């Protein structure tokens, strides 16, 4: 049942982020919005990573590729999202 709490927290956080994205994108444009959102994400991940450290890291080539792919495709998703948001509404 703990997974349900995490899923609800995720939906709430992403929902608030989506609602805040439209007026910000309309005001700043998709490229600037992308930059500031990516910067805010880096700061947030850094603070949370330092505040809540995990056990020792276990890196191998497959894990490194998966982490890199997740980061690249996540960032591309943001870029596509803000470009689309500049043209339409949040649905």
């Amino acid at each position: 049942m703990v997974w349900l709490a995490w899923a609800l927290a995720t939906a709430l956080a992403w929902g608030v982020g989506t609602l805040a994205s439209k007026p910000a994108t309309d005001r700043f444009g998709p490229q600037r919005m992308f930059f500031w959102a990516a910067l805010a994400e880096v700061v947030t991940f850094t603070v949370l990573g330092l505040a809540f450290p995990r056990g020792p890291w276990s890196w191998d080539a497959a894990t490194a590729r998966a982490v890199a792919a997740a980061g690249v495709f996540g960032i591309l998703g943001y870029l596509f999202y803000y470009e689309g948001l500049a043209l339409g509404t949040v649905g």
Side-chain angles (χ1 to χ4, degrees), residues 16-38 77-91:
V16 171
T18 299
L19 292 174
S21 294
K22 180 58 177 166
T25 303
D26 287 345
R27 181 175 176 144
F28 295 122
Q31 292 85 12
R32 191 174 293 158
M33 185 62 189
F34 171 73
F35 171 78
W36 287 111
Y78 274 124
L79 183 58
F80 299 156
Y81 173 72
Y82 292 123
E83 288 290 342
L85 199 58
L87 302 173
T89 63
V90 175

Side-chain angles (χ1 to χ4, degrees), residues 20-66:
S21 294
K22 180 58 177 166
T25 303
D26 287 345
R27 181 175 176 144
F28 295 122
Q31 292 85 12
R32 191 174 293 158
M33 185 62 189
F34 171 73
F35 171 78
W36 287 111
L39 182 63
E41 190 168 302
V42 166
V43 170
T44 303
F45 277 132
T46 301
V47 169
L48 291 176
L50 293 173
F52 302 105
R54 297 282 180 162
W57 292 17
S58 174
W59 285 94
D60 58 19
T63 302
R65 284 191 300 273

